Amino acid sequence: ATWDNTGRHQTYVNGVLDIDVVDATFNTINSTSSTALSIGSQGSTRLFIGAIDDVQWFNRKLSASEILSLYNAPNPIVNGLVSKYSFDTGATEDEVSNNDAVGAGIAFGTDRFGNTGKALDATLNSTHLNLYDSYDGFAAGTSGKISYSLWVNFKTITSTQQILLGKSADAGCSGNDRQFLFRLNTTAQFEITSYSSVSAGNFVVLAANNVTCTTGQWYHVVLTYDAA
């Protein structure tokens, strides 16, 4: 449903225009009302009976093509997606399952679209998220395959390694406490260190060849693994 201050009311059903009426009498909105906006009721009466999903509202009037795109949008829960952290709500919640992250030194900054408060703002030696031991189940499952996808933007590139994703205890830990590290290495390239469970010293380091990162640029990186 859309409205503009000419009094034009329009509704679309399944992407198709259903109502298109201009009533110039209704060209303003009561901006002083203290009544709560509610979904599925008028106050506490006239309750909706059924299912409601994917509620969105916008501070502008959508075009017909945009509304059709909303109607035709694919299922956001794609095959095999087990967790998603967009940070769009200013929180570290898992939008797919229930593995909410526990943060230390958490702040939220500008995302790759320029929206404020919708990206994890990591500060040197301060911010990180703890997901606990939550992902071995499918990482070591029958398929033996896993993928991690994320967008990153470096404020500073230093001569020390910067960990993007890590499932490893600190140096000196036992082999059983190490799985992998995905990081920016000392030459500003993406790098994987993959540990075997056989012993603490059994690992392989794989560095990127083509991309040397710079500050202030968004990079989309995906780490995939196949047990083969």
Side-chain angles (χ1 to χ4, degrees):
T2 71
W3 176 87
D4 65 37
N5 58 12
T6 68
R8 186 167 196 166
H9 302 69
Q10 293 176 304
T11 66
Y12 295 75
V13 179
N14 292 338
V16 178
L17 185 64
D18 185 56
I19 296 173
D20 187 3
V21 174
V22 177
D23 188 332
T25 304
F26 297 97
N27 59 5
T28 60
I29 287 180
N30 177 9
S31 61
T32 62
S33 171
S34 60
T35 302
L37 175 66
S38 59
I39 297 172
S41 73
Q42 179 181 344
S44 59
T45 63
R46 297 181 176 178
L47 302 180
F48 177 88
I49 303 172
I52 297 176
D53 194 16
D54 295 329
V55 177
Q56 303 178 62
W57 52 86
F58 303 82
N59 65 354
R60 62 184 180 86
K61 185 175 182 177
L62 298 183
S63 68
S65 61
E66 288 175 318
I67 292 168
L68 186 61
S69 295
L70 280 176
Y71 171 64
N72 289 320
N75 185 345
I77 311 302
V78 298
N79 184 37
L81 180 65
V82 296
S83 287
K84 179 182 177 182
Y85 305 89
S86 72
F87 309 115
D88 283 349
T89 62
T92 58
E93 61 189 11
D94 184 349
E95 298 162 38
V96 175
S97 54
N98 296 311
N99 192 39
D100 294 347
V102 176
I106 297 301
F108 296 95
T110 303
D111 70 8
R112 67 186 190 277
F113 302 113
N115 300 312
T116 58
K118 295 185 180 296
L120 186 68
D121 188 1
T123 304
L124 183 64
N125 297 327
S126 176
T127 303
H128 66 275
L129 298 180
N130 188 344
L131 303 176
Y132 297 98
D133 193 12
S134 307
Y135 293 103
D136 283 346
F138 65 82
T142 55
S143 69
K145 300 175 183 179
I146 191 172
S147 299
Y148 299 92
S149 171
L150 63 158
W151 286 85
V152 294
N153 187 331
F154 298 97
K155 292 182 178 181
T156 303
I157 293 179
T158 68
S159 58
T160 58
Q161 298 168 350
Q162 298 188 48
I163 305 299
L164 307 179
L165 292 171
K167 196 172 192 306
S168 174
D170 294 331
C173 62
S174 68
N176 193 46
D177 291 325
R178 299 183 179 192
Q179 192 178 93
F180 77 92
L181 293 171
F182 186 32
R183 62 195 177 195
L184 190 73
N185 66 15
T186 57
T187 58
Q189 295 176 315
F190 294 112
E191 180 178 283
I192 306 165
T193 297
S194 182
Y195 295 94
S196 169
S197 60
V198 176
S199 66
N202 192 359
F203 64 92
V204 62
V205 177
L206 306 169
N209 297 314
N210 301 319
V211 177
T212 300
C213 295
T214 59
T215 58
Q217 177 176 334
W218 283 99
Y219 297 91
H220 180 226
V221 289
V222 180
L223 166 64
T224 67
Y225 169 80
D226 186 325

